[in-house]
Amino acid sequence: MGENEHGRRNLRILAVLFAVSCAPLTFLDLEVASQLAGALSLPLAVALAALSGVSASAGTSALFPWRRVLIVSAVVIAVLGILTVGYAVRENTKDLDVALSGHVSAAGVPWTDGGVATLVFPESHRPPRRDNLTLVVSLRNVRDSGDCENTALLDFIPVLDGKEGQAISVAPRTEVTLPLGGAQTAAQVKVVVHYEPANAPCKVLMQIDEAVLHD
Amino acid sequence: MINWSARVLRLSVVLVVLLSACTSTEEPSFPSVVNVGSAPSSPGWGFRDHTGTRSGFDHDLTEWLGSELNFDPVEVDVVTENRERDLKNNTVSMVIANYSISDHRLKQVEIVGPYMRTQQGVMVRSEDAGLYRSVGDLLGKTVCVTSGSTSLDQVKNDLGVKVTIVQKKVYEDCRLALHAGDVDVVSTDQLLLYGMAKTDNGVTIPANIVFGKEERYGVGLPLGDKVRCELIKGKLRKFIVDGLWDNFFRGNLPNVSPDSHRPDPNRLSECRSAPSTT
Protein backbone atom coordinates (compact mmCIF):
# COMPACT_ATOMS: atom_id res chain seq x y z
CA MET A 1 0.00 0.00 0.00
CA GLY A 2 1.47 3.33 -1.07
CA GLU A 3 1.89 6.39 1.19
CA ASN A 4 -0.79 8.28 -0.71
CA GLU A 5 -3.41 5.50 -0.48
CA HIS A 6 -2.58 5.01 3.19
CA GLY A 7 -3.25 8.71 3.78
CA ARG A 8 -6.60 8.55 1.99
CA ARG A 9 -7.67 5.51 4.05
CA ASN A 10 -6.74 7.33 7.24
CA LEU A 11 -8.73 10.35 6.04
CA ARG A 12 -11.82 8.18 5.37
CA ILE A 13 -11.53 6.61 8.84
CA LEU A 14 -11.19 10.09 10.40
CA ALA A 15 -14.27 11.31 8.50
CA VAL A 16 -16.32 8.32 9.71
CA LEU A 17 -15.09 8.82 13.28
CA PHE A 18 -15.92 12.52 13.06
CA ALA A 19 -19.44 11.74 11.83
CA VAL A 20 -19.94 9.14 14.58
CA SER A 21 -18.61 11.54 17.22
CA CYS A 22 -21.24 14.06 16.14
CA ALA A 23 -24.04 11.52 16.72
CA PRO A 24 -24.65 12.54 20.38
CA LEU A 25 -25.56 16.02 19.13
CA THR A 26 -28.65 14.54 17.48
CA PHE A 27 -30.01 13.62 20.91
CA LEU A 28 -29.94 17.25 21.96
CA ASP A 29 -32.51 19.93 21.27
CA LEU A 30 -31.83 21.34 17.79
CA GLU A 31 -31.11 24.82 19.10
CA VAL A 32 -28.77 23.53 21.85
CA ALA A 33 -27.04 21.13 19.39
CA SER A 34 -26.38 23.88 16.89
CA GLN A 35 -25.02 26.17 19.59
CA LEU A 36 -22.79 23.41 20.98
CA ALA A 37 -21.55 22.42 17.54
CA GLY A 38 -20.85 26.04 16.70
CA ALA A 39 -18.96 26.57 19.95
CA LEU A 40 -16.91 23.35 19.58
CA SER A 41 -16.03 24.02 15.98
CA LEU A 42 -13.92 27.04 16.79
CA PRO A 43 -11.41 25.29 19.15
CA LEU A 44 -11.45 22.34 16.73
CA ALA A 45 -10.44 24.64 13.90
CA VAL A 46 -7.64 26.08 16.02
CA ALA A 47 -6.49 22.54 16.94
CA LEU A 48 -6.43 21.50 13.28
CA ALA A 49 -4.47 24.59 12.35
CA ALA A 50 -1.96 23.82 15.11
CA LEU A 51 -1.73 20.21 13.97
CA SER A 52 -0.92 21.37 10.46
CA GLY A 53 2.05 23.25 11.91
CA VAL A 54 3.21 20.14 13.80
CA SER A 55 2.89 17.96 10.70
CA ALA A 56 4.96 20.45 8.72
CA SER A 57 7.74 20.56 11.31
CA ALA A 58 7.67 16.74 11.61
CA GLY A 59 8.49 16.54 7.89
CA THR A 60 5.68 14.17 6.96
CA SER A 61 5.56 12.71 3.50
CA ALA A 62 4.91 15.06 0.62
CA LEU A 63 2.98 12.30 -1.22
CA PHE A 64 -0.19 13.03 0.72
CA PRO A 65 -0.84 16.71 1.40
CA TRP A 66 -1.73 16.37 5.11
CA ARG A 67 -0.81 19.92 5.89
CA ARG A 68 -3.00 21.34 3.15
CA VAL A 69 -5.92 19.09 4.12
CA LEU A 70 -5.63 20.18 7.76
CA ILE A 71 -5.46 23.90 6.90
CA VAL A 72 -8.43 23.70 4.49
CA SER A 73 -10.40 21.74 7.10
CA ALA A 74 -9.53 24.26 9.80
CA VAL A 75 -10.66 27.18 7.62
CA VAL A 76 -13.93 25.46 6.60
CA ILE A 77 -14.74 24.45 10.18
CA ALA A 78 -13.84 27.93 11.48
CA VAL A 79 -16.12 29.64 8.92
CA LEU A 80 -18.99 27.25 9.69
CA GLY A 81 -18.39 27.74 13.42
CA ILE A 82 -18.41 31.52 13.18
CA LEU A 83 -21.63 31.43 11.13
CA THR A 84 -23.27 29.03 13.59
CA VAL A 85 -22.20 31.00 16.65
CA GLY A 86 -23.29 34.24 14.99
CA TYR A 87 -26.67 32.74 14.20
CA ALA A 88 -27.02 31.44 17.76
CA VAL A 89 -26.12 34.85 19.22
CA ARG A 90 -28.69 36.55 16.99
CA GLU A 91 -31.36 34.00 17.86
CA ASN A 92 -30.72 34.59 21.55
CA THR A 93 -30.81 38.36 21.45
CA LYS A 94 -33.29 39.34 18.73
CA ASP A 95 -36.65 40.86 19.65
CA LEU A 96 -39.43 38.29 19.83
CA ASP A 97 -43.05 39.01 19.00
CA VAL A 98 -45.24 37.11 21.42
CA ALA A 99 -48.86 36.24 20.84
CA LEU A 100 -50.50 37.28 24.10
CA SER A 101 -53.81 38.24 22.58
CA GLY A 102 -55.25 34.75 22.89
CA HIS A 103 -54.39 34.57 26.54
CA VAL A 104 -56.30 37.50 27.97
CA SER A 105 -58.50 36.20 30.72
CA ALA A 106 -61.04 38.97 30.15
CA ALA A 107 -61.31 38.25 26.41
CA GLY A 108 -64.80 38.78 25.09
CA VAL A 109 -66.12 40.24 28.34
CA PRO A 110 -66.22 44.06 28.44
CA TRP A 111 -64.15 45.71 31.12
CA THR A 112 -65.46 48.35 33.46
CA ASP A 113 -63.65 50.59 35.91
CA GLY A 114 -61.31 48.48 38.07
CA GLY A 115 -61.42 45.50 35.68
CA VAL A 116 -58.37 43.22 35.68
CA ALA A 117 -56.98 41.08 32.87
CA THR A 118 -54.04 38.72 33.12
CA LEU A 119 -51.80 38.36 30.10
CA VAL A 120 -50.27 34.89 30.00
CA PHE A 121 -47.27 33.99 27.90
CA PRO A 122 -47.52 31.01 25.53
CA GLU A 123 -45.83 27.73 26.57
CA SER A 124 -42.71 28.49 24.53
CA HIS A 125 -42.06 31.62 26.63
CA ARG A 126 -42.27 30.12 30.12
CA PRO A 127 -40.08 31.51 31.50
CA PRO A 128 -39.77 34.40 29.02
CA ARG A 129 -36.57 34.24 26.96
CA ARG A 130 -35.81 37.95 27.27
CA ASP A 131 -35.49 40.41 30.15
CA ASN A 132 -38.10 42.96 29.04
CA LEU A 133 -41.53 43.07 27.49
CA THR A 134 -42.75 46.07 25.52
CA LEU A 135 -46.52 46.28 25.23
CA VAL A 136 -49.03 48.53 23.50
CA VAL A 137 -52.63 47.98 24.53
CA SER A 138 -55.69 49.75 23.16
CA LEU A 139 -59.33 49.74 24.23
CA ARG A 140 -62.50 49.47 22.17
CA ASN A 141 -65.71 51.03 23.44
CA VAL A 142 -68.55 48.54 23.09
CA ARG A 143 -71.15 51.34 23.08
CA ASP A 144 -71.97 54.18 20.71
CA SER A 145 -71.80 56.73 23.52
CA GLY A 146 -68.91 57.76 25.70
CA ASP A 147 -65.34 58.87 25.28
CA CYS A 148 -63.88 55.69 26.80
CA GLU A 149 -61.07 54.54 24.52
CA ASN A 150 -58.64 57.35 25.31
CA THR A 151 -59.69 58.51 28.76
CA ALA A 152 -58.76 55.36 30.71
CA LEU A 153 -55.57 54.81 32.67
CA LEU A 154 -54.02 51.35 32.50
CA ASP A 155 -51.88 49.85 35.28
CA PHE A 156 -49.39 47.22 34.06
CA ILE A 157 -48.05 44.96 36.81
CA PRO A 158 -45.41 42.30 36.00
CA VAL A 159 -45.92 39.08 37.97
CA LEU A 160 -42.67 37.05 38.13
CA ASP A 161 -42.91 33.53 39.58
CA GLY A 162 -46.15 34.56 41.27
CA LYS A 163 -44.72 37.72 42.85
CA GLU A 164 -46.11 41.11 41.79
CA GLY A 165 -43.65 43.80 40.72
CA GLN A 166 -43.91 47.58 40.45
CA ALA A 167 -46.98 48.87 38.57
CA ILE A 168 -46.50 51.21 35.62
CA SER A 169 -49.49 53.40 34.63
CA VAL A 170 -49.96 54.69 31.10
CA ALA A 171 -52.79 55.80 28.82
CA PRO A 172 -54.12 53.33 26.23
CA ARG A 173 -52.15 53.16 22.96
CA THR A 174 -48.99 54.15 24.82
CA GLU A 175 -45.89 51.95 24.76
CA VAL A 176 -44.92 50.49 28.13
CA THR A 177 -41.81 48.40 28.92
CA LEU A 178 -41.94 45.94 31.80
CA PRO A 179 -38.90 44.22 33.35
CA LEU A 180 -39.19 40.42 33.32
CA GLY A 181 -35.58 39.51 34.19
CA GLY A 182 -35.16 36.95 36.94
CA ALA A 183 -38.30 34.94 36.26
CA GLN A 184 -37.38 31.28 36.88
CA THR A 185 -40.60 29.54 35.97
CA ALA A 186 -43.18 31.89 34.51
CA ALA A 187 -44.09 35.52 34.07
CA GLN A 188 -47.49 37.13 33.63
CA VAL A 189 -48.69 40.69 33.24
CA LYS A 190 -51.68 42.00 35.15
CA VAL A 191 -53.51 44.90 33.53
CA VAL A 192 -56.00 47.02 35.49
CA VAL A 193 -58.23 49.64 33.84
CA HIS A 194 -59.17 52.84 35.70
CA TYR A 195 -61.67 55.57 34.85
CA GLU A 196 -62.52 58.86 36.49
CA PRO A 197 -65.84 58.59 38.37
CA ALA A 198 -67.67 60.44 35.58
CA ASN A 199 -66.69 57.73 33.12
CA ALA A 200 -67.12 54.76 35.45
CA PRO A 201 -69.99 53.32 33.33
CA CYS A 202 -67.60 52.88 30.38
CA LYS A 203 -67.46 49.33 29.00
CA VAL A 204 -64.49 48.45 26.84
CA LEU A 205 -62.71 45.49 25.29
CA MET A 206 -58.94 45.22 25.40
CA GLN A 207 -56.77 44.64 22.36
CA ILE A 208 -53.01 43.99 22.36
CA ASP A 209 -51.48 45.97 19.51
CA GLU A 210 -47.88 45.04 20.23
CA ALA A 211 -46.07 42.58 22.50
CA VAL A 212 -42.33 42.25 21.98
CA LEU A 213 -39.80 40.49 24.22
CA HIS A 214 -36.34 42.03 24.16
CA ASP A 215 -33.18 42.50 26.21
CA MET B 1 -15.42 97.11 -10.98
CA ILE B 2 -17.88 99.43 -9.32
CA ASN B 3 -20.49 98.49 -11.90
CA TRP B 4 -20.13 94.81 -11.10
CA SER B 5 -20.53 95.44 -7.36
CA ALA B 6 -23.64 97.49 -8.00
CA ARG B 7 -25.10 94.73 -10.21
CA VAL B 8 -24.44 92.04 -7.60
CA LEU B 9 -26.04 94.23 -4.94
CA ARG B 10 -29.14 94.86 -7.10
CA LEU B 11 -29.42 91.14 -7.92
CA SER B 12 -29.21 90.28 -4.21
CA VAL B 13 -31.97 92.75 -3.38
CA VAL B 14 -34.18 91.30 -6.14
CA LEU B 15 -33.56 87.74 -4.86
CA VAL B 16 -34.39 88.70 -1.27
CA VAL B 17 -37.62 90.40 -2.42
CA LEU B 18 -38.58 87.36 -4.51
CA LEU B 19 -37.87 84.97 -1.65
CA SER B 20 -39.88 87.00 0.83
CA ALA B 21 -42.71 87.19 -1.72
CA CYS B 22 -42.66 83.37 -1.96
CA THR B 23 -42.85 82.89 1.79
CA SER B 24 -45.60 85.46 2.24
CA THR B 25 -48.01 83.59 -0.06
CA GLU B 26 -48.71 81.05 2.69
CA GLU B 27 -52.42 80.19 2.71
CA PRO B 28 -54.43 81.26 5.75
CA SER B 29 -55.58 78.36 7.92
CA PHE B 30 -59.25 79.26 7.44
CA PRO B 31 -61.03 80.80 4.45
CA SER B 32 -62.60 84.21 5.00
CA VAL B 33 -66.05 82.62 5.36
CA VAL B 34 -66.61 79.34 7.22
CA ASN B 35 -69.88 77.41 7.44
CA VAL B 36 -70.38 76.34 11.04
CA GLY B 37 -72.99 73.76 11.98
CA SER B 38 -75.18 75.14 14.77
CA ALA B 39 -78.16 73.94 16.75
CA PRO B 40 -81.26 75.99 15.93
CA SER B 41 -83.50 75.15 18.86
CA SER B 42 -81.46 74.73 22.04
CA PRO B 43 -82.07 77.80 24.20
CA GLY B 44 -78.96 78.84 26.09
CA TRP B 45 -76.76 76.93 23.63
CA GLY B 46 -77.74 77.39 20.00
CA PHE B 47 -81.04 79.12 19.33
CA ARG B 48 -82.43 80.97 16.31
CA ASP B 49 -85.48 83.17 16.99
CA HIS B 50 -88.21 84.11 14.49
CA THR B 51 -86.13 87.05 13.25
CA GLY B 52 -83.19 84.75 12.51
CA THR B 53 -81.10 86.14 15.36
CA ARG B 54 -78.96 83.51 17.03
CA SER B 55 -77.97 83.26 20.69
CA GLY B 56 -76.50 80.83 23.22
CA PHE B 57 -73.14 79.66 24.55
CA ASP B 58 -72.24 77.81 21.35
CA HIS B 59 -73.22 80.82 19.26
CA ASP B 60 -71.01 83.08 21.40
CA LEU B 61 -68.15 80.60 21.12
CA THR B 62 -68.58 80.45 17.33
CA GLU B 63 -68.41 84.24 17.03
CA TRP B 64 -65.38 84.42 19.31
CA LEU B 65 -63.49 81.69 17.41
CA GLY B 66 -64.23 83.54 14.17
CA SER B 67 -62.75 86.74 15.53
CA GLU B 68 -59.71 84.96 16.98
CA LEU B 69 -59.01 82.89 13.85
CA ASN B 70 -59.91 85.56 11.30
CA PHE B 71 -62.93 84.02 9.63
CA ASP B 72 -66.51 85.09 9.27
CA PRO B 73 -68.72 82.29 10.62
CA VAL B 74 -71.94 81.52 8.78
CA GLU B 75 -74.09 79.43 11.08
CA VAL B 76 -75.94 76.62 9.33
CA ASP B 77 -78.63 74.59 11.10
CA VAL B 78 -77.62 70.97 11.74
CA VAL B 79 -79.65 68.21 13.32
CA THR B 80 -78.08 65.76 15.73
CA GLU B 81 -78.12 62.70 13.51
CA ASN B 82 -76.59 64.47 10.47
CA ARG B 83 -73.59 66.18 12.03
CA GLU B 84 -71.01 63.60 10.96
CA ARG B 85 -72.50 63.42 7.47
CA ASP B 86 -72.49 67.22 7.13
CA LEU B 87 -68.82 67.36 8.14
CA LYS B 88 -67.85 64.52 5.82
CA ASN B 89 -69.57 65.98 2.76
CA ASN B 90 -68.33 69.53 3.56
CA THR B 91 -71.79 71.02 4.00
CA VAL B 92 -70.18 72.53 7.08
CA SER B 93 -66.48 72.91 7.91
CA MET B 94 -67.01 72.94 11.64
CA VAL B 95 -69.72 71.91 14.13
CA ILE B 96 -70.31 73.79 17.38
CA ALA B 97 -73.59 72.37 18.60
CA ASN B 98 -73.39 70.55 21.97
CA TYR B 99 -71.30 68.03 20.09
CA SER B 100 -70.29 65.29 22.55
CA ILE B 101 -66.90 63.65 22.08
CA SER B 102 -67.49 59.92 21.65
CA ASP B 103 -65.33 57.05 20.42
CA HIS B 104 -67.98 56.21 17.84
CA ARG B 105 -67.89 59.73 16.36
CA LEU B 106 -64.10 59.97 16.56
CA LYS B 107 -63.89 57.19 13.99
CA GLN B 108 -65.66 59.47 11.50
CA VAL B 109 -64.71 63.04 12.44
CA GLU B 110 -62.32 64.99 14.64
CA ILE B 111 -63.73 66.63 17.77
CA VAL B 112 -61.51 69.19 19.54
CA GLY B 113 -62.09 69.71 23.20
CA PRO B 114 -63.70 69.40 25.58
CA TYR B 115 -64.92 72.92 26.25
CA MET B 116 -67.88 71.76 28.40
CA ARG B 117 -68.74 68.87 30.73
CA THR B 118 -72.18 67.64 31.69
CA GLN B 119 -74.12 64.47 32.41
CA GLN B 120 -77.43 63.15 31.16
CA GLY B 121 -80.56 64.13 33.06
CA VAL B 122 -84.32 64.45 32.56
CA MET B 123 -86.93 67.16 32.20
CA VAL B 124 -90.55 66.69 33.31
CA ARG B 125 -93.72 68.77 33.45
CA SER B 126 -93.64 70.98 36.56
CA GLU B 127 -96.93 69.59 37.82
CA ASP B 128 -95.40 66.09 37.80
CA ALA B 129 -92.13 67.10 39.47
CA GLY B 130 -93.07 65.38 42.74
CA LEU B 131 -93.26 62.01 40.99
CA TYR B 132 -89.57 62.00 40.04
CA ARG B 133 -87.00 61.70 42.82
CA SER B 134 -84.65 59.01 41.51
CA VAL B 135 -83.86 57.09 38.33
CA GLY B 136 -86.15 54.27 39.51
CA ASP B 137 -89.16 56.60 39.16
CA LEU B 138 -88.68 56.53 35.38
CA LEU B 139 -89.76 52.88 35.21
CA GLY B 140 -92.45 52.39 32.56
CA LYS B 141 -92.40 56.04 31.44
CA THR B 142 -92.21 57.32 27.87
CA VAL B 143 -88.91 59.11 27.27
CA CYS B 144 -88.24 61.47 24.36
CA VAL B 145 -84.71 61.75 22.90
CA THR B 146 -83.24 62.90 19.56
CA SER B 147 -82.28 60.39 16.91
CA GLY B 148 -78.56 59.64 16.59
CA SER B 149 -77.68 61.26 19.91
CA THR B 150 -75.51 59.82 22.67
CA SER B 151 -78.53 60.43 24.91
CA LEU B 152 -80.46 57.79 22.96
CA ASP B 153 -77.68 55.23 23.48
CA GLN B 154 -77.49 55.98 27.20
CA VAL B 155 -81.25 55.71 27.75
CA LYS B 156 -81.09 52.34 26.01
CA ASN B 157 -78.04 51.01 27.85
CA ASP B 158 -77.23 52.94 31.02
CA LEU B 159 -80.57 53.98 32.51
CA GLY B 160 -81.10 50.66 34.25
CA VAL B 161 -84.92 50.73 34.12
CA LYS B 162 -87.26 49.79 31.31
CA VAL B 163 -88.79 52.75 29.46
CA THR B 164 -90.50 53.43 26.14
CA ILE B 165 -88.33 55.54 23.85
CA VAL B 166 -89.74 58.12 21.44
CA GLN B 167 -87.29 59.70 18.98
CA LYS B 168 -87.55 63.21 17.52
CA LYS B 169 -85.34 65.24 15.18
CA VAL B 170 -84.72 68.13 17.61
CA TYR B 171 -85.32 68.67 21.32
CA GLU B 172 -87.82 71.43 20.69
CA ASP B 173 -90.10 68.70 19.29
CA CYS B 174 -89.53 66.69 22.48
CA ARG B 175 -90.44 69.71 24.62
CA LEU B 176 -93.65 70.23 22.66
CA ALA B 177 -94.44 66.50 22.96
CA LEU B 178 -93.93 66.77 26.74
CA HIS B 179 -96.48 69.59 27.04
CA ALA B 180 -98.86 67.77 24.71
CA GLY B 181 -98.74 64.78 27.03
CA ASP B 182 -97.35 62.50 24.33
CA VAL B 183 -94.26 61.73 26.43
CA ASP B 184 -93.63 61.74 30.19
CA VAL B 185 -89.99 62.76 30.18
CA VAL B 186 -87.41 64.45 27.95
CA SER B 187 -83.88 63.17 28.44
CA THR B 188 -80.61 64.65 27.31
CA ASP B 189 -77.62 66.47 28.80
CA GLN B 190 -78.59 68.37 31.95
CA LEU B 191 -77.05 71.57 30.60
CA LEU B 192 -79.27 71.41 27.50
CA LEU B 193 -82.29 70.85 29.71
CA TYR B 194 -81.38 73.86 31.89
CA GLY B 195 -81.21 75.90 28.71
CA MET B 196 -84.71 74.76 27.69
CA ALA B 197 -86.08 75.48 31.16
CA LYS B 198 -84.81 79.07 30.82
CA THR B 199 -87.57 79.84 28.36
CA ASP B 200 -90.24 77.43 29.65
CA ASN B 201 -91.72 77.89 33.13
CA GLY B 202 -93.82 74.76 32.76
CA VAL B 203 -90.90 72.31 33.10
CA THR B 204 -88.69 71.11 35.94
CA ILE B 205 -85.32 69.35 35.95
CA PRO B 206 -84.95 66.96 38.91
CA ALA B 207 -81.33 67.63 39.89
CA ASN B 208 -80.77 64.16 41.39
CA ILE B 209 -81.69 62.20 38.29
CA VAL B 210 -78.47 61.78 36.31
CA PHE B 211 -77.09 58.68 34.65
CA GLY B 212 -74.61 57.44 32.09
CA LYS B 213 -71.15 58.64 31.22
CA GLU B 214 -69.94 62.21 31.29
CA GLU B 215 -70.74 64.17 28.14
CA ARG B 216 -67.90 66.38 26.92
CA TYR B 217 -68.63 68.92 24.21
CA GLY B 218 -66.07 69.69 21.54
CA VAL B 219 -65.75 71.46 18.20
CA GLY B 220 -66.34 69.07 15.29
CA LEU B 221 -63.98 69.11 12.29
CA PRO B 222 -63.43 66.79 9.31
CA LEU B 223 -61.23 63.85 10.25
CA GLY B 224 -57.49 64.45 9.92
CA ASP B 225 -57.72 68.27 9.88
CA LYS B 226 -54.83 68.51 12.33
CA VAL B 227 -53.70 72.07 11.56
CA ARG B 228 -57.11 73.57 12.26
CA CYS B 229 -57.58 71.21 15.18
CA GLU B 230 -54.39 72.48 16.84
CA LEU B 231 -55.37 76.10 16.22
CA ILE B 232 -58.82 75.61 17.76
CA LYS B 233 -57.37 73.62 20.65
CA GLY B 234 -55.04 76.49 21.50
CA LYS B 235 -57.92 78.96 21.36
CA LEU B 236 -60.16 76.76 23.53
CA ARG B 237 -57.43 76.58 26.16
CA LYS B 238 -57.17 80.36 26.13
CA PHE B 239 -60.98 80.61 26.21
CA ILE B 240 -61.16 78.54 29.41
CA VAL B 241 -58.10 80.01 31.15
CA ASP B 242 -58.77 83.70 30.42
CA GLY B 243 -62.22 83.71 32.01
CA LEU B 244 -64.27 84.24 28.86
CA TRP B 245 -65.67 80.73 29.33
CA ASP B 246 -67.16 81.83 32.68
CA ASN B 247 -68.60 85.02 31.19
CA PHE B 248 -70.34 83.12 28.39
CA PHE B 249 -71.63 80.46 30.79
CA ARG B 250 -73.07 82.92 33.30
CA GLY B 251 -74.51 85.02 30.50
CA ASN B 252 -76.38 82.12 28.93
CA LEU B 253 -77.24 79.98 31.96
CA PRO B 254 -77.46 82.50 34.82
CA ASN B 255 -79.06 80.09 37.32
CA VAL B 256 -76.60 77.23 36.90
CA SER B 257 -73.30 76.88 38.80
CA PRO B 258 -70.47 76.64 36.25
CA ASP B 259 -67.87 74.91 38.44
CA SER B 260 -68.67 71.27 37.72
CA HIS B 261 -69.02 72.00 33.99
CA ARG B 262 -65.69 73.72 33.38
CA PRO B 263 -63.13 71.33 31.80
CA ASP B 264 -59.45 71.19 32.70
CA PRO B 265 -57.69 73.34 30.05
CA ASN B 266 -54.59 71.18 30.37
CA ARG B 267 -56.40 68.00 29.45
CA LEU B 268 -57.76 68.75 26.01
CA SER B 269 -57.73 65.83 23.59
CA GLU B 270 -54.87 65.21 21.17
CA CYS B 271 -55.37 66.20 17.54
CA ARG B 272 -54.94 63.37 15.07
CA SER B 273 -53.20 63.78 11.73
CA ALA B 274 -54.62 60.74 9.96
CA PRO B 275 -57.86 58.81 10.01
CA SER B 276 -57.91 56.28 12.83
CA THR B 277 -58.18 52.74 11.56
CA THR B 278 -59.09 51.24 14.88
Side-chain angles (χ1 to χ4, degrees):
Chain A
M1 188 181 290
E3 184 83 24
N4 203 357
E5 196 174 333
H6 182 74
R8 284 204 186 94
R9 198 189 67 185
N10 284 349
L11 195 62
R12 277 197 292 271
I13 292 169
L14 279 173
V16 170
L17 282 173
F18 180 76
V20 171
S21 70
C22 289
L25 290 174
T26 61
F27 294 102
L28 298 175
D29 174 60
L30 186 64
E31 193 181 324
V32 175
S34 63
Q35 287 176 22
L36 192 61
L40 288 175
S41 64
L42 293 174
L44 180 64
V46 172
L48 287 175
L51 206 58
S52 69
V54 171
S55 67
S57 60
T60 51
S61 169
L63 290 175
F64 189 80
W66 280 108
R67 188 162 175 268
R68 193 185 302 163
V69 168
L70 287 172
I71 288 173
V72 169
S73 303
V75 169
V76 170
I77 290 172
V79 169
L80 287 174
I82 287 167
L83 289 175
T84 312
V85 169
Y87 177 76
V89 168
R90 184 179 140 61
E91 282 300 297
N92 279 283
T93 55
K94 72 174 182 184
D95 293 354
L96 300 170
D97 287 336
V98 277
L100 297 171
S101 54
H103 300 270
V104 181
S105 63
V109 181
W111 266 358
T112 50
D113 182 41
V116 181
T118 304
L119 309 184
V120 182
F121 286 89
E123 200 72 53
S124 57
H125 290 282
R126 292 181 204 164
R129 290 148 60 195
R130 299 288 186 273
D131 286 344
N132 296 288
L133 172 70
T134 292
L135 269 175
V136 178
V137 168
S138 60
L139 303 175
R140 187 168 64 79
N141 190 351
V142 298
R143 297 272 174 75
D144 283 347
S145 62
D147 181 14
C148 303
E149 294 180 5
N150 302 307
T151 53
L153 194 64
L154 298 170
D155 290 346
F156 290 87
I157 306 159
V159 184
L160 309 182
D161 301 325
K163 197 174 164 191
E164 288 193 4
Q166 185 89 33
I168 300 176
S169 301
V170 297
R173 295 182 188 170
T174 307
E175 199 173 89
V176 61
T177 297
L178 303 166
L180 300 179
Q184 299 297 314
T185 54
Q188 296 180 338
V189 178
K190 231 166 90 173
V191 190
V192 188
V193 66
H194 296 287
Y195 281 103
E196 288 177 352
N199 263 348
C202 278
K203 289 187 177 177
V204 290
L205 291 174
M206 187 177 73
Q207 175 182 310
I208 296 171
D209 299 330
E210 187 185 323
V212 178
L213 280 167
H214 60 93
D215 285 327
Chain B
M1 193 67 175
I2 294 167
N3 277 345
W4 273 107
S5 300
R7 278 181 192 172
V8 169
L9 187 65
R10 274 201 295 271
L11 191 63
S12 303
V13 170
V14 169
L15 279 173
V16 167
V17 170
L18 281 174
L19 276 172
S20 58
C22 288
T23 52
S24 66
T25 55
E26 195 178 306
E27 294 237 340
S29 298
F30 289 90
S32 57
V33 175
V34 173
N35 284 348
V36 180
S38 303
S41 57
S42 295
W45 292 97
F47 187 74
R48 181 169 43 80
D49 67 16
H50 63 281
T51 65
T53 306
R54 292 186 183 264
S55 62
F57 186 100
D58 283 345
H59 166 74
D60 293 344
L61 173 59
T62 303
E63 293 287 318
W64 180 77
L65 277 178
S67 67
E68 287 285 309
L69 296 169
N70 297 317
F71 65 82
D72 191 11
V74 174
E75 293 187 63
V76 177
D77 290 353
V78 288
V79 293
T80 305
E81 64 184 324
N82 294 339
R83 290 179 291 193
E84 290 84 47
R85 187 201 67 187
D86 291 346
L87 278 171
K88 283 193 274 190
N89 67 17
N90 290 320
T91 305
V92 295
S93 303
M94 198 183 288
V95 167
I96 305 180
N98 318 105
Y99 201 20
S100 294
I101 301 170
S102 77
D103 299 311
H104 181 68
R105 288 175 180 154
L106 287 175
K107 288 176 175 59
Q108 306 172 68
V109 296
E110 181 65 280
I111 309 181
V112 199
Y115 65 83
M116 189 64 65
R117 300 165 56 198
T118 185
Q119 204 171 4
Q120 189 158 348
V122 298
M123 180 169 78
V124 298
R125 289 178 290 272
S126 291
E127 62 265 30
D128 297 336
L131 301 173
Y132 299 94
R133 299 187 191 286
S134 69
V135 170
D137 295 329
L138 299 174
L139 179 67
K141 303 295 183 191
T142 304
V143 180
C144 187
V145 290
T146 54
S147 312
S149 64
T150 52
S151 302
L152 169 64
D153 180 70
Q154 298 208 122
V155 169
K156 279 181 181 170
N157 296 301
D158 293 326
L159 188 56
V161 295
K162 206 166 173 58
V163 295
T164 303
I165 298 171
V166 171
Q167 297 182 45
K168 301 282 185 189
K169 285 269 184 196
V170 293
Y171 275 103
E172 179 61 7
D173 293 343
C174 279
R175 191 182 67 84
L176 295 174
L178 181 70
H179 285 301
D182 296 338
V183 299
D184 301 309
V185 169
V186 177
S187 180
T188 185
D189 308 339
Q190 259 195 337
L191 282 180
L192 280 180
L193 297 173
Y194 283 126
M196 279 188 243
K198 219 173 71 151
T199 55
D200 186 345
N201 292 327
V203 295
T204 296
I205 296 147
N208 293 333
I209 302 185
V210 288
F211 57 93
K213 298 169 281 286
E214 186 177 66
E215 298 289 330
R216 287 180 258 228
Y217 299 162
V219 176
L221 291 172
L223 192 56
D225 199 346
K226 192 175 182 185
V227 173
R228 290 180 181 175
C229 176
E230 292 289 0
L231 285 169
I232 292 170
K233 183 177 169 181
K235 293 299 175 189
L236 288 180
R237 187 175 288 127
K238 178 185 172 193
F239 173 59
I240 299 165
V241 170
D242 286 359
L244 203 58
W245 184 97
D246 286 79
N247 292 346
F248 285 1
F249 193 98
R250 289 179 208 282
N252 287 292
L253 297 168
N255 299 319
V256 184
S257 168
D259 294 341
S260 61
H261 303 292
R262 189 187 303 103
D264 182 346
N266 298 315
R267 293 187 62 188
L268 304 187
S269 58
E270 292 299 318
C271 293
R272 298 166 297 160
S273 54
S276 171
T277 53
T278 54

